């Protein structure tokens, strides 16, 4: 198993992995996030959905501080996100993110992609880091691709490497931004399978996706966003079967048509 | 993946492709034959001039008047001036060894094994220290030879190496600075780059050599050679920074974001993610800048340094050799060619190496 790193936050068990209170964000004059209030508990899996441009990506990018928010507070693992650099780097180490476009480093092999941050950030030796990397590559079922470059892999394989790369850092929270929407249909399930396995192990997950089957299967809660607001949130059962808000109903009827 | 694999279609044989592209119609045949004959004639004259009808030794110089070929006697007689300029005759071995050391340093730093901050620093500091010790002397019983008397190939190589060494890190800093998130820094760096790019190199070197002594306090002036090198390096960096910036610009924003979410800090993202990709993206332009710089080292003659081209002019500048400038220029051209061609080949090798896995 990977070595447990010592972190002061390990001791003080916090109930909430993420707490967002009255978060507002603007891109210049454009109000992208409007009074967002969201708690994500430890080990909770939250699926975020909503029409294009509703601010889903922006929301989860705020959690790992790829975007700054202008009003309100965001707490991640008991630490408030502010402009303090040390604290941002520290939080980013505990939060993994998987992107729609994979964003693997094209100039490094799969294995190097997975060991880079372990060695630089966690200060592990190359040997240790490679052992951890191989363990997670096995978990996403592509250990045999370790010496290849990302450009030589299919989209589904690349996304699984991206997930393994994040997991190598032993994150406490995993964020997914439409991890399957850049994939050909036949590759979607191989990535979703990995995510389901991860969810079953108890990882805290916030996942932007329109894969409703996945949401039904693993989500504790589904959140619907529209025009920068959280319009509705509920258990998947209730959310899909008895949507309350008419915008939700409209959205669901649209995606279920396909 | 399909189950059955078909063999790749056979490649067109060389002979067939030649026939197709050169002899597919009567007119094609005519053009091909005429061009081939002209080429052969030209080649014959060149070989005849350079090898068959040429005179090779200094003693045979009187025969040059009669001969229809090149008079290489001038090289035989004056090659020391070309290679060493005004460097004292008895000390030429020092310049030779220094030159070899500097070339070895450059070649070694092209080998991927040396590509780490520590190894490169050790390599370059050692290389320059040995070069300086040999050229300048003053230790271990070597007589002192000041930079005004350095010259020829050693000077050309030294200027090129020093300009690259100062210019490369500077260009990286400038490229990153111009993309800074702080508008003040980005503007200032942009202004700096555009200012130096808009000045002719000649002006910069002249300013460095002649005008800065009036502006700088004595202890900051250094030798004229070093001022010229610094000026040259700034000029080089201004251009190279734009090449590197173009390479950085082409990297998708997601790369940096992926680095951030893995917890890498700014320096780690720059050195491990951004720069390697930026170099790969704009390698042809970056190599090109080195090639241009190597050739532009000849400009330093106008501020009074006898690099190889100026030493060459000195070689045919006296007495009986005045008619043989063509041979001297061909010879110097060959030397430039060896260096510049090696540089380009190395660039091509790097491009291939860095393209691994990018299709
Ligand atoms: N860097 C930016 N600058 C200005 N506007 C932006 C920026 N990023 C996003 N936006 C705008 O903010 C809004 C929300 O964007 P966001 O990417 O969060 O939407 P989304 O819900 O993820 O949509 P999609 O389903 O298409 O990914 C969009 O209208 C988008 O145009
Ligand atoms: Mg999005």
């Amino acid at each position: 198993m990977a070595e447990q790193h010592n972190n002061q936050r390990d001791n003080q068990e916090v109930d909430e992995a993420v707490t967002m209170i009255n978060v507002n964000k603007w891109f210049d004059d454009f109000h992208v996030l409007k009074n967002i209030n969201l708690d994500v508990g430890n080990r909770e899996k939250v699926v975020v959905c909503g029409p294009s441009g509703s601010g889903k990506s922006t929301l989860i990018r705020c959690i790992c501080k790829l975007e700054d928010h202008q009003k309100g507070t965001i707490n991640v693992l008991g630490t408030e996100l502010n402009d303090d650099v040390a604290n941002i780097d520290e939080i980013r180490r505990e939060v993994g993110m998987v992107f729609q476009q994979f964003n693997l480093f094209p100039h490094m092999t799969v294995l190097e992609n997975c060991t880079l941050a372990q060695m630089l950030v966690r200060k592990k030796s190359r040997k240790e880091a490679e052992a951890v990397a191989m363990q997670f590559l096995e978990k996403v079922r592509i250990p045999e691709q370790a010496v290849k470059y990302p450009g030589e892999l299919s989209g589904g394989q690349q996304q699984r490497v991206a997930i393994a790369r994040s997991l190598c850092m032993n994150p406490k929270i995993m964020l997914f931004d439409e991890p399957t929407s850049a994939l050909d249909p036949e590759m979607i399930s191989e990535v979703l399978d990995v995510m389901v396995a991860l969810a079953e192990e108890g990882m805290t997950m916030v996942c932007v996706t329109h894969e409703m089957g996945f949401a039904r299967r693993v989500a504790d809660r589904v959140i619907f966003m529209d025009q920068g607001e959280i319009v509705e949130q509920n258990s998947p059962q209730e959310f899909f079967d008895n949507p309350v808000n008419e915008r939700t109903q409209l959205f669901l009827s649209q995606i279920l048509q396909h | 993946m399909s189950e059955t694999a078909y063999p790749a279609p056979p490649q067109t044989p060389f002979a067939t492709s030649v026939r197709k592209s050169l002899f597919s119609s009567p007119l094609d045949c005519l053009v091909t034959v005429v061009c081939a004959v002209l080429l052969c004639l030209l080649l014959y004259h060149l070989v005849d001039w350079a090898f068959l009808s040429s005179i090779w030794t200094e003693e045979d110089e009187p025969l040059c008047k009669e001969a229809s070929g090149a008079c290489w006697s001038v090289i035989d007689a004056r090659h020391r001036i070309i290679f060493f300029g005004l460097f004292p005759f008895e000390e030429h071995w020092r310049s030779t060894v220094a030159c070899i050391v500097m070339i070895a340093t450059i070649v070694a730093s092209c080998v991927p094994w040396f590509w780490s901050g520590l190894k490169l620093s050790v390599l370059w500091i050692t290389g320059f220290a040995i070069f300086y010790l040999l050229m300048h002397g003053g230790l271990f019983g070597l007589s002192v030879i000041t930079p005004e008397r350095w010259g020829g190939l050693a000077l050309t190589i030294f200027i090129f190496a020093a300009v690259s060494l100062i210019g490369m890190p500077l260009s990286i800093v400038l490229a990153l600075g111009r993309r800074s998130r702080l508008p003040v820094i980005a503007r200032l760096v942009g202004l700096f780059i555009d200012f130096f790019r808009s000045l002719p190199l000649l002006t910069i070197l002249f300013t460095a050599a002649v005008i800065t002594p009036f502006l700088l306090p004595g202890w900051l002036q250094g030798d004229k050679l070093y001022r010229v090198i610094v000026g040259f390096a700034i000029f080089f960096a201004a251009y190279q920074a734009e090449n590197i910036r173009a390479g950085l610009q082409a990297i998708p924003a997601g790369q940096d974001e992926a680095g951030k979410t893995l917890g890498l800090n700014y320096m780690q993202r720059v050195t491990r993610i951004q720069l390697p990709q930026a170099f790969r993206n704009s390698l042809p332009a970056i190599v090109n800048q080195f090639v241009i710089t190597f050739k532009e080292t000849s400009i330093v003659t106008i501020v009074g340094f006898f690099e190889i081209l100026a030493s060459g002019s000195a070689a045919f500048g006296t007495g009986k050799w005045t008619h043989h400038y063509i041979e001297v220029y061909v010879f110097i051209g060959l030397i430039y060619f060896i260096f510049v061609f090696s540089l380009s080949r190395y660039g091509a090798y790097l491009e291939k190496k860095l393209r691994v896995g990018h299709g």
Side-chain angles (χ1 to χ4, degrees):
Chain A
M1 235 347 267
E3 230 179 293
Q4 286 284 312
H5 51 272
N6 290 320
N7 192 309
Q8 64 272 39
R9 279 194 303 274
D10 282 348
N11 312 330
Q12 59 183 84
E13 245 336 285
V14 272
D15 301 333
E16 300 298 338
V18 181
T19 317
M20 302 176 93
I21 303 168
N22 277 329
V23 173
N24 282 272
K25 173 170 178 61
W26 287 264
F27 283 121
D28 296 325
D29 288 340
F30 181 59
H31 201 170
V32 225
L33 296 182
K34 302 170 186 162
N35 278 322
I36 300 287
N37 286 291
L38 174 67
D39 291 340
V40 180
N42 262 326
R43 301 178 153 250
E44 192 180 11
K45 291 111 191 82
V46 175
V47 162
V48 183
C49 62
S52 181
S54 55
K56 309 177 297 288
S57 298
T58 310
L59 176 80
I60 70 167
R61 287 163 61 87
C62 281
I63 298 176
C64 57
K65 203 103 166 87
L66 287 179
E67 304 282 357
D68 299 324
H69 57 285
Q70 278 86 37
K71 259 175 72 182
T73 52
I74 302 180
N75 254 283
V76 178
L77 298 165
T79 313
E80 186 180 339
L81 294 187
N82 52 33
D83 291 332
D84 182 358
V85 179
N87 131 28
I88 290 161
D89 281 343
E90 220 167 276
I91 286 174
R92 280 182 182 148
R93 285 169 208 179
E94 312 300 330
V95 180
M97 172 117 174
V98 174
F99 301 85
Q100 185 174 358
Q101 299 299 338
F102 329 135
N103 295 341
L104 294 176
F105 306 131
H107 57 299
M108 298 177 193
T109 63
V110 164
L111 191 61
E112 286 164 346
N113 265 278
C114 294
T115 53
L116 179 74
Q118 293 188 67
M119 294 182 351
L120 292 181
V121 179
R122 300 274 192 232
K123 309 289 177 209
K124 289 188 194 163
S125 71
R126 178 178 297 277
K127 235 176 126 189
E128 268 180 289
E130 284 181 353
V132 172
M134 285 315 292
Q135 176 198 328
F136 282 109
L137 286 174
E138 259 155 49
K139 191 164 176 178
V140 300
R141 294 194 295 277
I142 35 175
E144 72 281 0
Q145 311 286 5
V147 294
K148 288 199 184 163
Y149 284 87
E152 299 168 305
L153 304 186
S154 74
Q157 290 173 325
Q158 290 192 48
Q159 193 60 295
R160 285 185 281 151
V161 172
I163 294 173
R165 177 176 72 176
S166 282
L167 293 178
C168 283
M169 293 300 285
N170 241 324
K172 301 206 170 56
I173 305 173
M174 284 290 285
L175 308 174
F176 294 84
D177 189 2
E178 306 202 37
T180 56
S181 48
L183 297 178
D184 292 335
E186 72 270 20
M187 295 174 187
I188 290 178
S189 64
E190 66 188 47
V191 172
L192 289 181
D193 287 348
V194 168
M195 292 169 63
V196 169
L198 195 60
E200 282 165 358
E201 282 169 23
M203 175 66 79
T204 308
M205 291 165 69
V206 180
C207 190
V208 177
T209 184
H210 292 158
E211 293 297 331
M212 292 308 148
F214 172 79
R216 272 183 193 276
R217 188 157 164 206
V218 306
D220 297 311
R221 194 156 34 123
V222 180
I223 286 175
F224 175 70
M225 283 186 75
D226 190 22
Q227 294 177 12
E229 294 170 305
I230 294 183
V231 175
E232 184 166 347
Q233 48 179 313
N234 220 327
S235 69
Q237 197 77 36
E238 284 298 300
F239 181 84
F240 290 115
D241 299 342
N242 304 307
V244 180
N245 192 292
E246 51 189 76
R247 282 192 274 178
T248 319
Q249 292 162 357
L250 180 66
F251 175 75
L252 285 177
S253 70
Q254 277 167 350
I255 59 168
L256 294 179
Q257 270 167 16
H258 299 262
Chain B
M1 283 278 145
S2 77
E3 294 297 320
T4 46
Y6 298 100
Q11 292 209 313
T12 327
F14 180 67
T16 320
S17 67
V18 164
R19 181 147 36 80
K20 257 196 199 153
S21 50
L22 297 179
F23 297 100
S24 56
S25 75
L27 184 65
D28 269 8
C29 290
L30 187 69
V31 172
T32 304
V33 169
V34 168
C35 288
V37 169
L38 280 178
L39 255 175
C40 288
L41 267 178
L42 205 67
L43 201 66
Y44 169 74
H45 275 285
L46 199 65
V47 171
D48 183 54
W49 178 82
F51 300 103
L52 305 179
S53 313
S54 55
I55 309 296
W56 291 90
T57 60
E58 186 179 358
E59 296 79 57
D60 289 344
E61 189 269 339
L63 304 176
C64 281
K65 282 209 183 65
E66 315 298 315
S68 62
C71 183
W72 297 123
S73 317
V74 62
I75 307 299
D76 188 32
R78 311 285 283 173
H79 67 270
R80 283 202 175 219
I81 294 236
I82 300 178
F83 280 124
F84 304 109
L86 300 175
F87 212 74
F89 190 84
E90 321 73 57
E91 311 286 357
H92 280 178
W93 66 271
R94 280 164 58 181
S95 184
T96 312
V97 179
C99 207
I100 292 171
V101 167
M102 193 47 76
I103 292 174
T105 307
I106 296 173
V107 169
S109 57
C110 289
V111 178
W113 186 81
F114 276 101
W115 293 352
S116 78
L118 181 69
K119 284 179 190 163
L120 277 183
S121 316
V122 170
L123 180 70
W124 281 93
I125 290 171
T126 323
F128 270 98
I130 297 176
F131 182 91
Y132 185 79
L133 176 66
L134 284 165
M135 291 298 280
H136 188 270
L139 273 181
F140 306 124
L142 298 174
S143 58
V144 173
I145 301 168
T146 49
E148 304 90 76
R149 299 173 70 195
W150 298 4
L153 187 59
L155 185 62
T156 295
I157 303 236
F158 175 67
I159 293 175
F160 174 68
V163 166
S164 308
L165 189 68
I166 302 171
M168 248 356 248
L170 183 59
S171 66
I172 292 171
V173 171
L174 290 178
L176 294 172
R178 196 165 197 175
R179 285 164 52 87
S180 167
R181 272 167 37 133
L182 304 173
V184 186
I185 293 185
R187 290 270 169 71
L188 281 179
V189 172
L191 204 67
F192 181 90
I193 291 176
D194 291 338
F195 177 75
F196 280 98
R197 283 203 310 162
S198 59
L199 293 177
L201 179 56
L202 210 58
T203 320
I204 293 177
L205 297 189
F206 227 81
T207 311
V210 183
I211 301 177
T212 40
F214 297 112
L215 306 177
L216 293 179
W219 56 270
L220 234 177
Q221 283 178 21
D223 192 90
K224 183 166 84 173
L225 178 59
Y226 302 128
R227 292 200 305 274
V228 165
I229 285 177
V230 169
F232 205 151
I234 292 176
F235 179 80
F236 170 86
Y239 274 90
Q240 199 69 298
E242 288 296 277
N243 292 335
I244 295 174
R245 190 168 70 98
L248 289 169
Q249 225 75 304
I251 304 173
Q255 289 289 309
D256 199 45
E257 290 175 356
K260 281 182 184 170
T261 55
L262 288 170
L264 303 179
N265 63 31
Y266 177 75
M267 277 312 284
Q268 292 167 335
R269 297 197 306 271
V270 164
T271 55
R272 301 307 186 97
I273 298 170
Q274 299 194 347
L275 287 179
Q277 294 191 59
F279 279 118
R280 190 197 78 210
N281 291 341
S282 44
L283 195 69
I286 289 173
V287 172
N288 201 21
Q289 198 60 45
F290 278 109
V291 167
I292 292 173
T293 302
F294 188 85
K295 294 193 282 190
E296 276 185 342
T297 51
S298 58
I299 283 187
V300 301
T301 60
I302 64 122
V303 288
F305 289 106
F306 281 80
E307 46 64 63
I308 192 159
L309 196 59
S311 314
S313 309
F316 64 74
T318 50
K320 57 184 175 182
W321 303 115
T322 42
H323 299 296
H324 303 308
Y325 55 89
I326 294 182
E327 287 84 347
V328 173
Y329 281 133
V330 168
F331 182 68
I332 293 173
L334 266 178
I335 295 175
Y336 272 100
F337 178 80
I338 290 171
F339 282 98
V340 171
F341 190 70
S342 315
L343 257 175
S344 322
R345 291 323 302 160
Y346 176 65
Y349 154 80
L350 267 191
E351 248 176 86
K352 222 163 132 192
K353 180 180 158 61
L354 296 183
R355 222 183 1 238
V356 184
H358 300 291

